[in-house]
Structures are given as structure tokens and as C-alpha cells.
Amino acid sequence: MHGQPDRSSCRFPARRSCVYLVGAGPGDPGLLTVKALCLINRADVVVYDRLVSDDVMRMVPAGVSRIFAGKETGNHPVPQHEINDTLVRLARAGRKVVRLKGGDPFVFGRGAEEALYLAERGIDFEIVPGITSATACTSYAGIPLTHRDYAQSVIFITGHGRKGKLLEKEIARQYGGNRNATLVVFMGVGRLRQIMAALIEGGMSRDTPVALIERGTTADQRRVLTAVGRASIDAVEAELAAPALIVIGKVVELAGRLDWFVPAPRYDEECAQSGS
Ligand code: SAH
């Protein structure tokens, strides 16, 4: 038969001595890009973050080395300079390195810092964008970031700045200038009360809808639909924990009508059921 694609062929062969900064998406392995998967299959080593889901890590072939760059035992984060040095050392040893990062490598999460470090040392690198949690988790929670009648712009903002600087005032300031925007706050659940208070102080109605999305796109996804005036109480009640996104704006009203996501059985549950 002619015309059948060769499924084993890959249009993105990994180069030696190169670091690929690859977006792993928010959790569902189905959201990996074709390019990400090709590179993972051909890597010598995958250096991965805490945010990369177990289901995505199951896509890494058995023969590929793995280095965890999230939390060490004792819960201390691996210092960024150690991660940077590891990437340089592996590339200089001639390895094909996949640096796998949650979501998109250039949306928060320090991908830019790693790329700059490599560039300054003359290490070859490539960026493979991933699907950011901001778009994926909202879609899976039934929330369109924009809709002509609800929101004309979207703001991605972090709840935590450099050296733990707190950014709730900045979040409120952004809202002040963009009253019809959807606000997506990363790394903000630990400061939810302060963020909501700053928004109310900045003139936002306490009834403005809010969605809190925990472990979005995974089998454990939870969404809490609430409002600015009671989000922090509802989050405590739901025992909401990181990683979670805070989505604020009128578009959240659509979540009730667009609730489509049915988590697939977990990979291991499925295997257990089929006996494999
Ligand atoms: N580069 C990543 C963001 C890194 S910052 C991206 O593009 O998505 C880490 C923050 O991202 C978390 O604190 C959380 O706010 C958010 N996040 C990442 N994955 C998530 C997920 N599956 N569910 C909910 N929030 C997530």
C-alpha cells in the first residue's frame, strides 16, 4: 500500500548537545504537541518539573534518563542555578536534553531565565511552546477566556513576583485599567484573600464571578465556581491546593452551560482493568 505514513518516522529528530525547552502542557498527556512527543522519544535525558504530570511522564520511554528538578526530599526547591548548571553540563557532555516544563515554557515558570543562561554560555537550545494552563484549564472548566459579549481582553498575571514579592496591588491596578478583561492569576491561591480584598478595594463588585481551577485537565481536576466576595471562604471549604488558577470575570458565568469535561479513567486504573 502506498500513501501510508511511516508512524515511526519523526520530523523532529533531536540534536546532540542541544537543550530543548519543551512545554509539557497542563497535565493531560493528550495536550502534548507532536513535536514535544517526538523529542521526548529521542532524548537522552529528560529534566522535568514538579508541574509535569505523572501521565505525561509515562510517555517518556523506559531507556531515557530522568532528572527531577522540582522539590528535593525535605521539600526544598532545587535552586535555579543548580538546574541551569545541570542543563549546561548535560549539553556539554553531548546529550540530547529535553527540559520539560509545565504548560508553556515562556509563560511564567522561569523558562526565559533558563534560555538566557544557555544563550550566554553558547549552548544550542530550542523552544517548543506548550499549551499553557491559562488556556487549557479554562477550556476544561468550560470557561472561554473571551466572548464578544463578556470580555474583550485577557490578562495573565502572577500572584507572586521575584523574591516572593506580593502582587495583589498590581493585580488590582491591572483590573482598574481593563474592566472588561478576564483576569487569570497564576500562583495566587496562597494569597487569595489578599488578592480579592485588593480587587474589591479597587472597585470590583463582590459579585464578580470567579473560578478556581485545581489540577486542571487531569483526572483530579476540580473547579470551584464562586465570586470575588466569597472566593477565599469557598477555597478553604473546598481545601483547594496548588497548582490552581484563579479566573476572574464575567466569562465565568458560562461555566455552568459549558460543563463538558469528564475525566478519563487514570492510565493505571485503565491498565489494571484490562489486566495489562
Ligand atoms: N508555564 C506554566 C505556568 C507555571 S507557573 C503554564 O504555562 O501553565 C505555575 C502556576 O501555573 C501554578 O501555580 C498554577 O497557578 C498554574 N498551573 C499550572 N498547571 C496547572 C494546572 N494543571 N491546573 C491549575 N493551575 C495550573
Side-chain angles (χ1 to χ4, degrees), residues 120-136:
E120 281 158 13
R121 281 152 191 82
I123 305 289
D124 285 344
F125 67 93
E126 291 189 22
I127 315 291
V128 181
I131 299 187
T132 177
S133 57
T135 53

Side-chain angles (χ1 to χ4, degrees), residues 26 51 102-104 107-109 132-133 137 186-187 213 215-216 243-245:
L51 268 182
D104 181 282
V107 177
F108 303 117
T132 177
S133 57
C137 299
F186 292 72
M187 295 177 274
I213 310 167
R215 311 187 80 79
L245 281 177

Side-chain angles (χ1 to χ4, degrees), residues 225-249:
L225 300 178
T226 173
V228 168
R230 46 167 225 277
S232 56
I233 294 168
D234 287 351
V236 171
E237 201 157 288
E239 296 181 14
L240 196 90
L245 281 177
I246 308 167
V247 185
I248 307 157

